[in-house]
Amino acid sequence: MSSSSSSSNPDHAAQEALRLLGPAPANWVPAHAGIDHNVVVVGGGQTGSAFAFALQRAGVGGVSVIDAAADASQAGVWRARARMHKLRTLKNLVGPEGPVTALGFQAWYESRHGQAAYGAIDRIARTAWAEYLDWFRSITGTAVRYGTRLIRFEPAEGGAVPHLRLHLEVNGEPRTETARKLIFANGVAGSGAPFIPDLLATAVSRGLAAHTGHAIDFAALAGKTVAVIGAAASAFDAAAVALESGAAAVHLFARRNRLAATPVARVRSYPGFYDNYLALPDATRWHHAARYRRLGTTPPLDSVERVLKFPNFHLHLAAPWQGAEVQGGKIVALVHDERFHFDFAIAATGYTHELSQHPELAGIADLVLRWRDRFEQPAHERDDELGAAPYLGAGLEYLEKTPGTAPWLRDIHTYNPGGFASTGLPLGDVPSIRGYVPAVVRRISEDLLLTDLALHEERTRAEVPPDFDESLYAGAIWQADARRLAA
């Protein structure tokens, strides 16, 4: 391609990188009757896309990526429930491209806006990231089956190799498929559910409150008085959108007496620590997870500044709600014996790690090993919510609580924030991709190979025809050697 044509084609560098990388290896996984897929990835967002590409380059075929959203425009969080202006992570982190830098965000952005434009941004705009992910799926040929929801699954009986039976809903119709491996790349609620305080249950049921993980009609909050419970990033983002949508007033309530401003994870965010995190003793991993939760999630500075521009924003510190009831279509909240009246409340209260609260996982909740089963928590670092998190293996697979009762759990890999206690990173966020996507793919590849080892032994020990015979070099043999060989 000429220089003029390459300069007019923003995808030239990416296409060249893929050309030089060469075709993806052929699928080496033996087919088995009755098995539809080698791997099913639940979730077509950034990590689902990363897994699809990484598995493709590992020569693992038969991969299906499913997403419950009706189409690409409704998939993921970036155009729906995410409300920040910019991603909260560094702009130069490795994303779904892995080692192929020409497929990364920087290369994509610079090819469209120039190096100076990339240098000028401090973090990635949320909408730009969504556009990049659309492009990444397109350039890598990643197909997502939209309108496909996993309802439940169980181990399938019979067959040459272990596999799972998946009960799906495809565009509203039930369907059963089978797969050898299952990856949950399904977002922040993937190991549990949005946590809604009991005192808000009635308000939620009457449409007067919602969790930040839910769809919220912010335009309907114009002229309304709104409460936000919580003080992490999602709380400030929700408060900002409410204010920008014309809310009459927004009150944000924090349990702590000051906003969390100490990014404790930063001191361990170097390759030697993160790359080997799974090798650390359980006590060390627990300490870091408990410390992070104890000190609180730090909202980005610009998220806080975003709400401080509004004189009708009010911050309440050391102000947990003591009670709430619905009266006359409003929420009446009791805080420090003072009553507040709100038209709407937003719970920015995080997510549980209780598997039984997630429909697809309810059936295995009692079988999965949790941190509370494996590790005795020190009294000064007790955290029951953290203890409910699954204790994951080196390939981020579930482990069985009672040995011998559910060995098939090793074929289910979880890649969502429920794995935080095991990995030290919120799985699913961009920082987790570089290290943990390859770890899962390596484990899946290893398991698929070893399960079919007899077939691979047969394949690799087969007779190999020679590329040439002795006649090719007969005339060049040293005569003394020729006589000796003939004798």
Side-chain angles (χ1 to χ4, degrees), residues 2 34 48 136 163 170 196 246 248 277-278 289 292 339 381 399 403 410 436 458-459 469:
S2 67
F136 179 83
H163 58 285
V170 182
I196 298 175
Y277 198 85
L278 291 175
Y292 180 88
R339 292 185 179 275
E381 291 183 337
L399 302 175
R410 67 175 286 117
Y436 289 113
E458 181 180 353
R459 174 180 175 178
D469 60 28

Side-chain angles (χ1 to χ4, degrees), residues 38-388:
N38 291 321
V39 184
V40 167
V41 182
V42 181
Q46 61 193 29
T47 47
S49 302
F51 276 117
F53 182 55
L55 287 163
Q56 176 195 111
R57 297 310 308 181
V60 177
V63 176
S64 180
V65 182
I66 66 173
D67 198 292
D71 53 49
S73 67
Q74 302 176 49
V77 299
W78 303 115
R79 293 187 176 96
R81 297 182 301 280
R83 302 175 180 108
M84 73 287 281
H85 288 322
K86 303 174 185 178
L87 271 61
R88 298 170 186 141
T89 49
L90 299 175
K91 67 180 182 180
N92 60 345
L93 296 178
V94 175
E97 76 277 8
V100 189
T101 55
L103 301 181
F105 177 85
Q106 180 176 355
W108 173 84
Y109 194 87
E110 289 183 351
S111 71
R112 284 152 175 77
H113 307 288
Q115 293 183 10
Y118 178 79
I121 64 174
D122 58 344
R123 300 203 312 277
I124 299 172
R126 171 178 55 82
T127 51
W129 183 249
E131 293 172 14
Y132 161 71
L133 292 175
D134 289 342
W135 171 85
F136 179 83
R137 283 185 284 269
S138 175
I139 201 77
T140 58
T142 298
V144 179
R145 298 165 58 196
Y146 293 106
T148 304
R149 182 187 301 277
L150 176 64
I151 304 300
R152 69 181 192 280
F153 60 91
E154 69 268 345
E157 297 180 358
V161 296
H163 58 285
L164 303 166
R165 181 180 294 106
L166 313 181
H167 300 271
L168 306 173
E169 186 178 87
V170 182
N171 296 321
E173 297 295 327
R175 181 182 300 177
T176 301
E177 298 179 6
T178 53
R180 295 177 65 172
K181 286 283 187 176
L182 190 59
I183 302 175
F184 281 101
N186 53 344
V188 290
S191 285
F195 172 68
I196 298 175
D198 290 340
L199 51 77
L200 276 184
T202 301
V204 170
S205 68
R206 298 188 184 181
L208 298 175
H211 191 274
T212 51
H214 298 154
I216 299 174
D217 183 0
F218 282 93
L221 301 183
K224 303 291 181 65
T225 301
V226 179
V228 177
I229 303 174
S234 62
F236 281 94
D237 292 339
V241 177
L243 290 163
E244 293 162 357
S245 300
V250 173
H251 294 252
L252 188 147
F253 295 85
R255 289 183 294 110
R256 295 181 171 87
N257 59 7
R258 64 183 64 189
L259 295 180
T262 305
V264 295
R266 189 175 297 168
V267 296
R268 52 187 173 90
S269 60
Y270 54 93
F273 203 80
Y274 270 164
D275 291 353
N276 302 293
Y277 198 85
L278 291 175
L280 295 174
D282 285 353
T284 300
R285 290 194 287 170
W286 181 268
H287 165 75
H288 286 291
R291 182 189 184 203
Y292 180 88
R293 283 173 51 81
R294 185 172 64 253
L295 294 179
T297 305
T298 305
L301 176 62
D302 57 347
S303 291
V304 179
E305 292 175 336
R306 187 177 169 190
V307 298
L308 295 180
K309 295 184 297 185
F310 292 87
N312 52 337
F313 171 75
H314 309 285
L315 177 63
H316 301 255
L317 296 175
W321 282 24
Q322 297 164 293
E325 55 185 16
V326 176
Q327 294 181 1
K330 292 184 180 291
I331 300 172
V332 181
L334 182 65
V335 183
H336 293 314
D337 299 324
E338 183 178 359
R339 292 185 179 275
F340 294 87
H341 292 73
F342 296 108
D343 298 298
F344 197 80
I346 300 173
T349 43
Y351 299 82
T352 75
H353 299 317
E354 181 44 62
L355 304 182
S356 62
Q357 295 177 355
H358 199 77
E360 301 99 302
L361 302 175
I364 66 170
D366 293 336
L367 304 175
V368 173
L369 181 71
R370 316 290 188 95
W371 269 85
R372 66 189 177 214
D373 304 319
R374 173 76 176 240
F375 179 72
E376 185 173 349
Q377 306 173 32
H380 67 288
E381 291 183 337
R382 185 171 183 82
D383 188 322
D384 291 339
E385 179 64 26
L386 200 60

